[in-house]
């Protein structure tokens, strides 16, 4: 469920997972009007629906609607996966695990002891921050257009980490030494990039855009110009978070690599 949802590749991904596991599923995009989310979930449940993924802009409403929350969702205060146990609505957030799995397993980039720069302080960054911190980075800087939102996130997550965590605006990251920079702003969706000053990077540094597209995003082009050797969009994250949801619903852990390959090939 989301709004908009027509662009979502999740139905293809879940059908590929279901084929691997020889499970028959019906997984469809449901466009929901703003203001109609709780009713839409109730209708879905009443019609025998068993699980839901939630995307923009309903992840916070989904969190509020849950009777039972997993720790990841509680920390994020946002939910992207719902399921039902009798009348109770259960919620989890698989975005952070999806991002961490993509960086660690698919891209083979360690997070432990690395210096992270997160751009943005909206739902996406809030959803992944807790999981990234569990991988014990050396430092995390959250840089956002609206500085107060970055500072508020830092205040809330500080108690979860020993690492150096700080929030600031874009100008203040000038000359920062970073190993991994993750774009969690919605700027790429409009072909824009945050107004970033130059950063210090080394040959192993990774630039990661949570947005996925069939061609390099504006952020990926910026990273290439700055000399990053490792650059990725968010398709792997999308598939990895879907795999976590699939595991919750079906108790089967699907293989993600062939699904990512198929999606990248445009098949
Ligand atoms: N690959 C995946 O599986 C996955 C999962 C989740 C999200 N995402 C992507 O992550 C992105 C962010 O989603 P969200 O849920 O966090 O959205 P959101 O809650 O609306 O937050 C948007 C963020 O982007 C910033 N922003 C927007 N336009 C900007 C611009 N032109 N320049 C600089 N900053 C700008 C906002 O800054 P202000 O606070 O100043 O407004 C805010 O920090 C979306 O593109 C979404 O598709 C991908």
């Amino acid at each position: 469920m989301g709004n908009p949802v027509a662009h979502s590749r999740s139905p293809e991904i879940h059908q590929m997972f279901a084929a691997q596991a020889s499970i028959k599923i019906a997984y469809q995009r449901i466009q929901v009007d703003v203001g109609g989310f709780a009713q839409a979930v109730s209708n879905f449940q009443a019609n025998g629906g068993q699980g839901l993924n939630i995307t923009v802009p309903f992840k916070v409403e989904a969190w509020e609607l849950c009777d039972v929350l997993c720790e990841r969702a509680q920390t994020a205060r946002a939910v992207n996966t719902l399921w039902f146990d009798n009348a109770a609505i259960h919620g989890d957030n698989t975005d952070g695990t999806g991002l961490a799995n993509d960086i660690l397993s698919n891209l083979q980039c360690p997070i432990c002891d690395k210096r992270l720069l997160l751009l943005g302080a909206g739902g996406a960054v809030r959803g992944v921050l807790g999981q990234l911190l569990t991988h014990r980075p050396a430092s995390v800087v959250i840089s956002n257009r609206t500085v107060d939102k970055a500072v508020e996130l830092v205040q809330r997550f500080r108690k979860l980490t020993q690492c150096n965590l700080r929030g600031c605006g874009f100008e203040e990251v000038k000359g920062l030494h970073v190993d991994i920079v993750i774009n969690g702003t919605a700027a790429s969706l409009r072909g824009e990039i945050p107004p970033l000053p130059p950063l210090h990077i080394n040959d192993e540094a990774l630039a990661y855009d949570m947005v996925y597209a069939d061609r390099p995003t504006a952020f990926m082009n910026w990273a290439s110009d700055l000399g990053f050797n490792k650059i990725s969009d968010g398709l792997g994250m999308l598939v990895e978070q879907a795999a976590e949801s699939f595991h919750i619903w079906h108790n089967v852990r699907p293989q993600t690599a062939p699904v990512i390959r198929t999606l990248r090939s445009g098949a």
Side-chain angles (χ1 to χ4, degrees), residues 56 59 95 120-125 144-146 149 170 184-187 189-190 192 194 210-212 234 237-238 241:
V56 175
K59 289 184 188 181
D95 282 337
V125 167
N144 194 45
R145 186 174 58 181
T146 309
K149 283 200 213 166
F170 293 129
T185 73
L189 291 175
R190 288 185 293 277
E192 298 167 5
M210 286 200 210
V211 169
Y212 54 92
M237 173 184 175
L238 180 77
Q241 63 77 29

Side-chain angles (χ1 to χ4, degrees), residues 12 22 30 43 46 51 68 103 119 125 131 137 164 172 201 243 261:
E12 293 164 72
S22 303
I30 303 176
N43 293 347
V68 185
I103 292 175
L119 307 174
V125 167
Q131 280 301 306
N164 186 352
E172 289 151 87
I201 56 165
R261 266 199 307 276

Side-chain angles (χ1 to χ4, degrees), residues 155-245:
Q155 282 166 351
R156 198 155 66 74
F157 279 81
R158 185 159 274 148
K159 59 180 177 300
L160 300 180
T161 181
Q162 306 280 322
C163 92
N164 186 352
L165 181 63
R166 100 180 146 90
C168 61
F170 293 129
E171 193 46 45
E172 289 151 87
V173 301
K174 189 171 180 180
L176 191 72
H177 289 260
V178 294
D179 301 304
I180 302 178
V181 53
I182 298 171
N183 182 24
T185 73
S188 286
L189 291 175
R190 288 185 293 277
E192 298 167 5
I193 52 162
L196 285 171
L199 305 169
H200 276 298
I201 56 165
N202 61 30
D203 287 350
E204 294 299 307
L206 167 69
Y208 192 101
D209 200 342
M210 286 200 210
V211 169
Y212 54 92
D214 49 12
R215 66 188 107 101
T217 64
F219 173 78
M220 292 165 77
N221 289 331
W222 168 86
S224 174
D225 292 345
L226 202 72
F228 277 87
N229 291 322
K230 297 180 180 176
I231 300 174
S232 179
D233 71 2
L235 186 71
M237 173 184 175
L238 180 77
V239 174
E240 295 294 340
Q241 63 77 29
E244 278 288 304
S245 297

